[in-house]
Amino acid sequence: WNENSRQELSRILQEQINEILKTEKADFSILMNFNYSERSRLIVIDGVYVSKFNRDPYYTLEDFPGFLRSLLDFMNAKIIEMIGEAGKSNKSNHSKEVVEPLKAILNILSYHTDLEGELCNDTNIQMLSKLLQKNIKDYRNDRITELIMKIFKAIARKPAGCEIMLYDVAIMKSLVTILHNNPMDSAVDILDTIATNEECLPVICEHGFLLFTFNIMISGTKEASSDNNWKARRAAYKFLWNVYKNEDYRRVILKLFTFYLPEQIAHVALPSNQE
């Protein structure tokens, strides 16, 4: 409720009062169907104003799992609308319409970590992957990228979600693009989360993600002098180091370093007396 709302309501009431004075009749259907313009722009899912839910950390719901599923259904429908059923880009900019639902998903996961598994299926992960790709290509909205990265971090904590992500080449390419161009902390966190999830190590080592990460370590970002360069390279090295510390997969990392790097660098990077 604000001054704009007050003026809108006053205007429609005055119109009806004038109509009554003029015809001695009132059309109450107009009043019953009236909606504030600001409210009509708000996203309502399962009767919940999503922006209000995000602003209130103490917002209580009877069914958090159900609300999360409805948010994901909304997002899946929105992605279809954004990219078009034939896969062609839709010129309409829907980026603002996905920020609040993404924030709501992240807020639910922050308070209910037991619901992280709800996202760990092909449909939801591919939906987030498509939105990330479109955002990088068309919208370039860092807020959307950051929210998706944080949700992916939650997914990566679950072995099932981590495995789906690692086999989704589009996600890995997007992650590498972010780390190369603007390695935000949430993208770096994903590397750490994946590397410390021992159940995902077999997938990591049989998939091309090791090469993606190795390339980040040796090349960094596009601007060699930037702080982001070192942030990305440190994250990539830490990722490879975490894999190396696992005895079952140490040989894979050792072979990668000794084959491509000078012996002195490989020896310093991967000391044999590692703890």
Side-chain angles (χ1 to χ4, degrees):
W1 177 263
N2 54 31
E3 186 58 31
N4 289 336
S5 305
R6 190 193 317 277
Q7 290 181 6
E8 278 189 80
L9 180 57
S10 178
R11 183 166 55 252
I12 193 168
L13 287 174
Q14 190 59 53
E15 289 174 357
Q16 289 304 300
I17 290 170
N18 291 340
E19 187 67 20
I20 292 172
L21 293 174
K22 185 177 178 181
T23 65
E24 297 184 357
K25 293 181 180 179
D27 187 355
F28 289 104
S29 64
I30 295 178
L31 292 174
M32 296 300 294
N33 293 322
F34 168 72
N35 194 9
Y36 296 104
S37 59
E38 290 193 21
R39 182 182 294 178
S40 64
R41 291 193 294 268
L42 297 176
I43 297 173
V44 182
I45 297 176
D46 282 358
V48 177
Y49 284 94
V50 180
S51 58
K52 183 178 180 181
F53 172 81
N54 289 330
R55 289 195 304 268
D56 184 358
Y58 302 106
Y59 199 108
T60 56
L61 289 172
E62 292 184 1
D63 184 9
F64 275 99
F67 184 49
L68 176 59
R69 286 191 288 271
S70 295
L71 284 166
L72 292 169
D73 288 343
F74 172 88
M75 289 297 301
N76 275 292
K78 182 57 64 176
I79 298 305
I80 293 175
E81 184 181 343
M82 290 168 68
I83 66 176
E85 300 217 2
K88 297 181 179 179
S89 178
N90 191 326
K91 293 183 179 179
S92 301
N93 189 332
H94 299 284
S95 61
K96 293 181 180 179
E97 298 178 39
V98 300
V99 170
E100 291 296 335
L102 285 173
K103 287 169 63 177
I105 292 171
L106 193 58
N107 285 334
I108 291 175
L109 296 181
S110 65
Y111 291 105
H112 300 273
T113 55
D114 57 305
L115 294 179
E116 290 173 350
E118 292 281 348
L119 281 79
C120 297
N121 58 58
D122 289 320
T123 300
N124 292 327
I125 292 175
Q126 287 175 14
M127 173 269 292
L128 291 166
S129 176
K130 289 175 183 178
L131 176 58
L132 180 61
Q133 293 172 66
K134 184 162 184 64
N135 184 58
I136 291 173
K137 179 182 177 182
D138 296 339
Y139 302 142
R140 301 179 184 178
N141 184 322
D142 285 345
R143 182 61 176 144
I144 292 177
T145 298
E146 182 182 19
L147 289 168
I148 295 174
M149 287 291 101
K150 288 181 177 179
I151 293 172
F152 274 148
K153 178 186 174 183
I155 292 173
R157 285 195 286 260
K158 298 291 184 181
C162 185
E163 184 172 350
I164 295 172
M165 286 175 59
L166 287 168
Y167 276 116
D168 191 323
V169 177
I171 293 177
M172 295 301 104
K173 285 183 177 179
S174 298
L175 182 58
V176 170
T177 298
I178 293 166
L179 288 167
H180 267 295
N181 297 325
N182 182 24
M184 54 185 60
D185 291 341
S186 51
V188 172
D189 287 343
I190 290 177
L191 282 183
D192 291 342
T193 303
I194 292 174
T196 54
N197 190 335
E198 291 191 1
E199 295 184 54
C200 288
L201 289 179
V203 185
I204 291 171
C205 293
E206 72 183 36
H207 189 47
F209 190 58
L210 279 181
L211 294 180
F212 288 148
T213 315
F214 188 72
N215 184 50
I216 293 170
M217 186 192 73
I218 64 171
S219 61
T221 64
K222 290 181 177 179
E223 298 180 17
S225 60
S226 71
D227 291 338
N228 285 343
N229 183 307
W230 294 107
K231 183 188 293 186
R233 295 176 74 176
R234 279 196 301 269
Y237 172 72
K238 183 179 178 182
F239 175 89
L240 295 168
W241 174 254
N242 281 334
V243 178
Y244 177 70
K245 287 192 296 183
N246 186 292
E247 292 185 4
D248 294 334
Y249 301 101
R250 185 177 304 162
R251 184 174 295 181
V252 177
I253 301 299
L254 186 62
K255 185 180 292 187
L256 189 64
F257 274 67
T258 55
F259 186 82
Y260 290 106
L261 298 177
E263 183 179 349
Q264 298 90 333
I265 295 177
H267 179 73
V268 172
L270 301 175
S272 58
N273 62 339
Q274 58 87 29
E275 296 180 358

